[in-house]
Amino acid sequence: MPLPAILDVDTGVDDALAIVFASASPELELRGITCVAGNTELPDVVDNTSALLTMLGRTDVPLAVGAVRPLLRAPVGRDNAIRHGGHGRGYAGLPPTGAKPIAADASQLIIDEARACDGELTLIATGPLTNVAIAARREPRLPELVRQLVVMGGAFRCPGNITPVAEFNIQADAEAAKIVFDAFRGCPRRPLVLGLDVTYQVRLESSSIEEIASRAGDAITVAPGSEAWGAPGTPLVAYLVDALRYYADWHLDAYGFYGSFMHDPLTVAVALDPTLVTTSAVAVDVECRGELTTGQTVVDWDGVWDIEPNVDVALGIDTRRALEQVVERVGAATAHAAAVHPDA
Ligand code: RIB
Ligand code: CA
């Protein structure tokens, strides 16, 4: 039976790959996609997500609008936009946004689906945890109603990417992350959290990107400094190629390689196949007041707090299988889009 799931996103470039991956995974029954401000401002997140669902032929998936800003701290705004392009889609323009948001807001959809699925819902979060925190506050039974929460966030034994010690999703709304990790303490299945420790180990580089496009019949050449990688035949491949081209420019500048980490599609892959990672059950809390350390995921590796573990932290990942699955699933979606929109 397919896993009923909700994907909570701040659709930037890697979130787009996560949405495409999820839409091409028959093991997932996508019960909704919920939007949260993060990589870019909320209207862009909603527009990007709507356009992707439209291009994927998945306007059947309920799209819900969520938090426009973190619970307490100042909105990220466009500060993070430099990483994903001004509107969270790199160099891509905005394709038609056919999928219209439902009336219920994100936290209400999460609560409604958790109640309806009665313990079977997988909640996958690839942005700041604001929507999940609001849902947990509105429905205190959420941790029992959710089969498992799978999160992209944190830097547990590695440096941060937004401050020296904090990862973007957690730091963007540290209070929300703290609320979520506290709320899910003691639930039947600990949240499975992929931090930078594992997402930094898998890179989408030229040959993989060219392979994804080739599944749609598009021959592109991924090369630094190029004005365009080719002329994709479908809106979906054109969007992904232009978004990834910006992301590759940014990764070349920030990390020295021309390609993309895949924080978010890896999180969907692991939600479907937890054997991709090795984990450690640990007690985790989130720093919310540190002048230098706010957003840090603090781990009690040696049990000095003497409290039960509340998170399964991913520490190792099968990089070969993980990359294969992303190329396979995203490639399947681009091939399908080409079939659905042959004359696009
Ligand atoms: O730190 C990486 C995370 O922050 C990813 O989810 C990326 O999309 C951004 O949201
Ligand atoms: Ca994200």
Side-chain angles (χ1 to χ4, degrees), residues 35-275:
C35 297
V36 63
N39 283 321
T40 184
E41 295 181 335
L42 186 63
D44 289 327
V45 173
V46 176
D47 282 346
N48 295 340
T49 305
S50 171
L52 285 159
L53 287 174
T54 305
M55 292 185 286
L56 287 162
R58 293 303 309 273
T59 53
D60 60 298
V61 177
L63 169 65
V65 180
V68 69
R69 55 160 299 150
L71 296 179
L72 293 179
R73 58 192 57 247
V76 174
R78 294 197 182 281
D79 289 356
N80 200 42
I82 183 69
R83 297 162 181 244
H84 294 259
H87 295 281
R89 49 182 181 262
Y91 295 124
L94 180 63
T97 55
K100 295 291 176 259
I102 61 173
D105 75 2
S107 62
Q108 190 59 55
L109 181 63
I110 291 170
I111 293 166
D112 292 346
E113 287 303 325
R115 288 171 178 163
C117 296
D118 193 24
E120 292 308 313
L121 182 73
T122 296
L123 180 52
I124 306 169
T126 64
L129 290 171
T130 318
N131 291 338
V132 179
I134 294 169
R137 277 288 164 87
R138 291 175 65 183
E139 171 50 276
R141 294 182 304 131
L142 188 71
E144 287 71 50
L145 290 173
V146 167
R147 174 185 167 276
Q148 186 162 37
L149 171 64
V150 185
V151 173
M152 193 284 132
F156 298 93
R157 287 195 307 201
C158 73
N161 62 355
I162 197 76
T163 74
V165 295
E167 176 278 328
F168 174 79
N169 285 339
I170 303 297
Q171 194 263 358
D173 196 342
E175 287 77 13
K178 183 178 182 64
I179 286 168
V180 170
F181 289 160
D182 284 348
F184 278 75
R185 193 182 302 277
C187 71
R189 289 170 73 125
R190 285 183 294 269
L192 172 51
V193 183
L194 279 75
L196 298 174
D197 313 77
V198 292
T199 63
Y200 271 162
Q201 294 179 38
V202 191
R203 296 176 174 188
L204 190 72
E205 295 184 284
S206 306
S207 58
S208 300
I209 299 171
E210 290 165 356
E211 172 64 24
I212 287 169
S214 72
R215 299 290 178 87
D218 292 318
I220 67 169
T221 304
V222 173
S226 40
E227 281 301 303
W229 286 347
T234 56
L236 177 65
V237 179
Y239 182 99
L240 294 177
V241 161
D242 284 342
L244 282 167
R245 185 160 57 85
Y246 180 98
Y247 216 31
D249 285 340
W250 181 74
H251 278 76
L252 185 60
D253 180 52
Y255 296 102
F257 76 95
Y258 193 62
S260 154
F261 289 125
M262 292 185 290
H263 311 288
D264 297 345
L266 289 182
T267 306
V268 180
V270 169
L272 284 174
D273 180 1
T275 67

